[in-house]
Amino acid sequence: MKSSLPEAVKKSVLLNSLNDDMRDRLLRDAIRRSYAEGETIFLQGDPAKAVFIVLSGFIKLSRMTPSGTEAVVAIMGRNRSFAEAMVLRGTPYPVSAEAISDCTTLQIDGTRLRQLLLENPEFAIGLLASTFIHLQGLVDQIEKLKAHTGVQRVAQFLADLTAQETGPCEVRLPYNKRLIAGNLGMQPESLSRAFARLREHGVKVDSSKALIDDIAQLRLLAQD
């Protein structure tokens, strides 16, 4: 793949510390692939042969619990990469990956990734940074589950959908409410109750968007 890369690739934590030559070497055999909503990318237990960068859309990472229910581990959006640790360790994917919207990924060959890692300490540091961001995301998720109420978690989720700091705004829900609930560690009925409670704080949610009277007040609610 040539150095004229999508901006999502250049901004990904996995690659943004590399110079053009190193990127070209790593991405020489990279495959750009599109998936339709609902399509499986890989299954829990499959051999980890590639690292993925999300170019567009959203991907759900989930595990099946011993009781047979699905646990949503993460929702990965544009610029995010995943499966680095599994590829480096040579272990199977511990989660399944499914497109929850039409999406496009860049798939990086695991053998080439390991080779470049051994040859270049600069790239090794960048990969450690990528792994740390994934870990920090899990720590933040656990903190929110333990320390924040359901209403606060939903408020933070909505606030994160916009860069606007003050005043009224409208945000589009990026995926369906069942997935939002799973990503926030909630049951769908608990999410519905949280949406209802947010009406008291100037937030009206319909099937695909939320109207927010004052985004600054919503951010304060999420942090209380």
Side-chain angles (χ1 to χ4, degrees):
M1 179 168 288
K2 302 301 182 183
S3 57
S4 55
L5 299 171
E7 201 62 27
V9 175
K10 295 180 181 179
K11 289 182 177 179
S12 71
V13 176
L14 179 63
L15 301 180
N16 64 10
S17 64
L18 302 183
N19 59 41
D20 289 344
D21 179 64
M22 290 171 62
R23 280 201 201 103
D24 286 345
R25 287 176 58 197
L26 178 62
L27 301 179
R28 193 170 301 151
D29 301 319
I31 299 171
R32 192 188 310 223
R33 181 172 173 185
S34 296
Y35 296 88
E37 181 178 354
E39 191 172 352
T40 297
I41 298 170
F42 58 75
L43 292 172
Q44 180 178 334
D46 284 350
K49 296 180 179 180
V51 172
F52 297 80
I53 298 175
V54 183
L55 303 183
S56 65
F58 293 93
I59 293 170
K60 174 184 67 177
L61 304 182
S62 63
R63 285 179 60 87
M64 295 303 294
T65 66
S67 64
T69 58
E70 181 187 62
V72 177
V73 175
I75 303 292
M76 311 300 285
R78 181 177 167 84
N79 300 350
R80 297 291 300 277
S81 60
F82 57 95
E84 297 94 333
M86 291 89 248
V87 164
L88 292 178
R89 293 181 61 196
T91 57
Y93 294 119
V95 296
S96 295
E98 176 188 337
I100 57 172
S101 69
D102 292 346
C103 65
T104 303
T105 66
L106 190 68
Q107 301 179 18
I108 300 172
D109 178 69
T111 300
R112 186 173 296 280
L113 178 71
R114 288 190 293 269
Q115 180 182 358
L116 186 59
L117 184 67
L118 291 172
E119 294 174 354
N120 197 296
E122 181 184 349
F123 179 63
I125 292 172
L127 191 61
L128 284 173
S130 175
T131 303
F132 174 77
I133 284 179
H134 293 326
L135 176 61
Q136 187 62 51
L138 290 174
V139 171
D140 290 345
Q141 186 176 3
I142 292 171
E143 179 185 359
K144 289 175 183 176
L145 287 173
K146 290 183 174 294
H148 292 176
T149 66
V151 171
Q152 287 178 304
R153 278 179 266 160
V154 176
Q156 187 65 63
F157 175 81
L158 295 175
D160 288 343
L161 296 176
T162 178
Q164 187 173 324
E165 293 294 334
T166 61
C169 69
E170 176 181 313
V171 296
R172 183 170 183 82
L173 302 183
Y175 33 85
N176 67 52
K177 293 176 182 176
R178 181 182 62 83
L179 288 171
I180 293 173
N183 193 33
L184 297 177
M186 304 170 70
Q187 294 297 320
E189 54 270 25
S190 299
L191 178 66
S192 295
R193 287 194 293 270
F195 280 149
R197 288 279 306 279
L198 284 173
R199 292 181 197 139
E200 305 168 12
H201 301 277
V203 179
K204 300 179 182 66
V205 179
D206 65 17
S207 59
S208 62
K209 63 184 178 183
L211 300 174
I212 302 166
D213 288 347
D214 188 339
I215 188 64
Q217 290 300 316
L218 188 65
R219 294 188 193 282
L220 286 175
L221 174 64
Q223 296 167 5
D224 283 344

